[in-house]
Amino acid sequence: MTFSHLDKSGNAKFVDISLKKNTLREAEAEAFVTMSSKAFLLLEKESSKKGNVLAVAQLAGIMAGKKTHELIPLCHLIPTTSINVTFRIDHKNTKLKVIGKSKTVYNTGVEMEALTAVSVAALTVYDMIKAVDKGATISEIKLVKKKGGKSGDYSLEP
């Protein structure tokens, strides 16, 4: 097995997907933002000076997922049929889980779109809370699962 984005000489290449079949493809990714209790309280109360943190981060994540091909050099322009960003609040650990889901009927997958969506949503949360907590951390950005395509289904959970 080799990296699909490298040729035999190790040079970057844009993968030819012209012979692949259009099928339903889905992906889910996640990231975590951990913050101080003060920042977490403001986040919950939607009282940031910049507005509703989660609403802005959700929109930023969706927009970024749609522009993945402009951000990651060898990603294809994919006609996504759905990109969604949601959040789960962990009060006990003052942690925010960012969940991104993407979907298409196309001849290549949407994993990068889901990963980009959660990454930018998490960065947006950080940007909006940094006045209160510059020490907030973004962690564990990962693909949770994918469905469809030649390589089949994948799930982080057994």
Side-chain angles (χ1 to χ4, degrees):
M1 183 171 260
T2 60
F3 291 119
S4 60
H5 289 81
L6 299 177
D7 66 16
K8 291 178 183 177
S9 300
N11 299 310
K13 72 172 184 177
F14 192 61
V15 176
D16 182 357
I17 60 171
S18 60
L19 298 178
K20 294 171 76 178
K21 293 181 181 181
N22 282 5
T23 59
L24 175 63
R25 296 158 189 262
E26 301 175 64
E28 181 178 332
E30 67 185 23
F32 293 89
V33 183
T34 305
M35 63 198 78
S36 68
S37 54
K38 183 177 180 181
F40 195 80
L41 183 63
L42 288 170
L43 177 95
E44 282 191 302
K45 290 185 175 182
E46 300 177 6
S47 56
S48 162
K49 288 183 180 180
K50 294 185 178 184
N52 182 325
V53 174
L54 298 184
V56 174
Q58 180 183 46
L59 186 57
I62 292 168
M63 290 173 64
K66 292 169 52 177
K67 293 183 172 279
T68 299
H69 70 285
E70 294 177 20
L71 301 169
I72 311 295
L74 298 175
C75 282
H76 289 86
L77 169 59
I78 295 177
T80 51
T81 56
S82 175
I83 297 176
N84 192 18
V85 175
T86 58
F87 305 95
R88 288 204 188 117
I89 295 174
D90 178 351
H91 296 81
K92 180 180 175 187
N93 298 302
T94 63
K95 187 184 270 192
L96 179 69
K97 181 177 185 179
V98 184
I99 303 152
K101 296 180 180 181
S102 54
K103 189 185 292 188
T104 190
V105 176
Y106 199 54
N107 57 351
T108 194
V110 286
E111 297 92 343
M112 292 306 299
E113 286 68 17
L115 285 160
T116 300
V118 298
S119 298
V120 171
L123 286 166
T124 302
V125 169
Y126 180 88
D127 179 50
M128 294 186 71
I129 67 170
K130 72 180 185 259
V132 174
D133 184 10
K134 287 180 180 36
T137 61
I138 298 169
S139 63
E140 300 180 62
I141 300 169
K142 61 188 168 233
L143 181 67
V144 176
K145 61 184 165 185
K146 77 158 213 81
K147 292 181 182 178
K150 183 176 141 186
S151 65
D153 296 352
Y154 164 81
S155 181
L156 189 60
E157 302 157 359

